[in-house]
Amino acid sequence: MSGEDGEAADVCASCGIAEIDEIKLKTCAACKSLRYCSVECQKTHRPQHKRACKKRMAELRDELLFKQPESSWLGDCPICCLPLPLDPQQSLLSSCCSKAICIGCDHANKLRQYGFLIPQEPSCAFCREPLPETDEEVDAMLMKRIENNDPVAMRQMGGNRDNEGDYKSAFEYYTKAAELGDAVAHYNLSIMYDLGQFVEKDEKKKVYHLEEAAIGGHVDARHNLAVVEERNGRMERAVKHWIIAANMGCDKSMKALWECHAKGFVKKEDLTATLRAHHAAVNAAKSPQREQAKIFLKRN
């Protein structure tokens, strides 16, 4: 009993009573397509609604999953305001402020610091806090931000514990960060469920966390979802994922689309449109300052 536009109707799906004056209807939290005047009516109608509810939930999930994100999970550099490159080597994550800064702005900050007659103490390019010198100082900085419910700091701390082989602590930090919506934490959890690190291998949970990461703009998660769909023989869904990732500048997804085009799974016009979007995304993350930083890093 929903309207033609898909929205819930203004009458109880079970007893048919209309929403007037003191009678307030509540929408089904799962599918958001039907409304009920009471919990009793919802329970009574549940057997009839169960199948349609699950179908509509799946449709809503796909609408969210296959929506093109406005940007990658990295977002923009907070200093130059240009999109951060997908290559993790082209940006740095500061423990003091939990900001990802491009190598161009970081390099410019170092030139500024060393350009004085008396070199300044190394500091963060964004918040100007002194850079930590030891792992203990890094952890202390992260803990301060964790105490303020900073999901990026939680994920960073989880990564530190992960690198040490303390998968239990890593899982706990990743889980907390994921609950706060951190896309990278979801991606890291998908890896743990895939490899069975601290937790048992679980394909469903792995895919769930990949989906949550992809919705948050995580390009590698999106690409991996496409690989899962391809493995399961659902090429239409796989292609959708690769197109979204390629539109955000993902090289390996663009390569996969070329291969799909050769096999007849992607139309020429779709491939061309995606190629244009891919080039635009890659070029948007370039700047003379970043290119100079790359040259400097290669020399040193």
Side-chain angles (χ1 to χ4, degrees):
M1 295 180 66
S2 60
E4 292 182 2
D5 59 359
E7 294 183 357
D10 291 330
V11 296
C12 177
S14 181
C15 67
I17 193 170
E19 183 175 43
I20 54 174
D21 298 330
E22 72 280 358
I23 299 174
K24 303 297 181 183
L25 303 180
K26 292 185 178 180
T27 306
C28 175
C31 69
K32 306 185 187 305
S33 60
L34 296 182
R35 303 176 76 190
Y36 299 96
C37 65
S38 66
V39 175
E40 290 71 20
C41 272
Q42 186 171 8
K43 288 181 179 179
T44 300
H45 193 251
R46 180 63 181 167
Q48 296 172 248
H49 179 51
K50 186 176 181 179
R51 182 175 295 181
C53 185
K54 286 186 176 181
K55 181 181 178 182
R56 182 56 184 155
M57 283 175 62
E59 291 172 351
L60 290 173
R61 179 69 172 176
D62 275 1
E63 287 176 14
L64 181 62
L65 181 60
F66 290 109
K67 181 180 179 181
Q68 181 74 46
E70 293 182 1
S71 66
S72 78
W73 80 101
L74 291 164
D76 300 336
C77 173
I79 299 176
C80 65
C81 298
L82 292 176
L84 287 167
L86 297 182
D87 182 355
Q89 301 300 317
Q90 303 305 311
S91 62
L92 302 91
L93 189 57
S94 298
S95 303
C96 45
C97 56
S98 294
K99 296 293 184 182
I101 301 164
C102 75
I103 58 170
C105 290
D106 179 70
H107 181 59
N109 181 55
K110 289 177 180 176
L111 290 178
R112 179 189 63 80
Q113 291 172 345
Y114 298 132
F116 289 88
L117 292 177
I118 300 177
Q120 294 181 321
E121 183 180 7
S123 62
C124 172
F126 182 75
C127 69
R128 305 304 191 199
E129 283 289 318
L131 296 179
E133 298 181 358
T134 65
D135 291 341
E136 289 74 17
E137 289 180 355
V138 170
D139 282 356
M141 282 185 169
L142 291 177
M143 284 307 303
K144 286 183 179 180
R145 301 196 65 82
I146 289 172
E147 289 169 1
N148 291 319
N149 280 335
D150 184 337
V152 177
M154 292 175 187
R155 179 236 302 167
Q156 281 184 274
M157 186 68 85
N160 292 344
R161 300 292 83 82
D162 200 341
N163 292 334
E164 295 169 358
D166 184 358
Y167 299 128
K168 180 179 182 296
S169 294
F171 180 81
E172 291 172 351
Y173 280 115
Y174 288 154
T175 300
K176 291 178 182 177
E179 289 172 352
L180 293 172
D182 187 81
V184 183
H186 277 295
Y187 179 69
N188 291 342
L189 286 172
S190 76
I191 294 174
M192 297 191 81
Y193 279 113
D194 183 45
L195 300 178
Q197 294 175 326
F198 176 66
V199 293
E200 293 184 8
K201 291 186 178 182
D202 192 314
E203 185 69 13
K204 286 186 177 180
K205 289 182 179 179
K206 165 193 163 183
V207 171
Y208 167 76
H209 286 294
L210 283 177
E211 289 182 349
E212 289 296 309
I215 291 169
H218 199 291
V219 175
D220 288 332
R222 178 77 63 178
H223 179 84
N224 290 354
L225 270 179
V227 173
V228 171
E229 295 290 9
E230 180 188 35
R231 189 169 62 235
N232 292 331
R234 298 191 287 241
M235 286 305 300
E236 183 178 353
R237 294 175 67 87
V239 167
K240 284 183 180 180
H241 283 305
W242 276 322
I243 287 176
I244 292 173
N247 285 341
M248 298 166 72
C250 181
D251 292 334
K252 55 187 176 183
S253 289
M254 193 68 244
K255 181 181 178 182
L257 287 172
W258 276 107
E259 295 173 355
C260 287
H261 172 63
K263 296 175 183 177
F265 292 115
V266 179
K267 295 179 181 179
K268 183 178 179 180
E269 55 267 30
D270 293 334
L271 182 69
T272 302
T274 305
L275 187 59
R276 289 197 190 100
H278 175 264
H279 284 327
V282 171
N283 290 332
K286 293 181 179 179
S287 74
Q289 191 167 277
R290 293 177 182 182
E291 294 306 312
Q292 291 172 6
K294 286 182 185 179
I295 294 172
F296 177 81
L297 291 173
K298 285 181 181 179
R299 289 175 179 174
N300 294 274

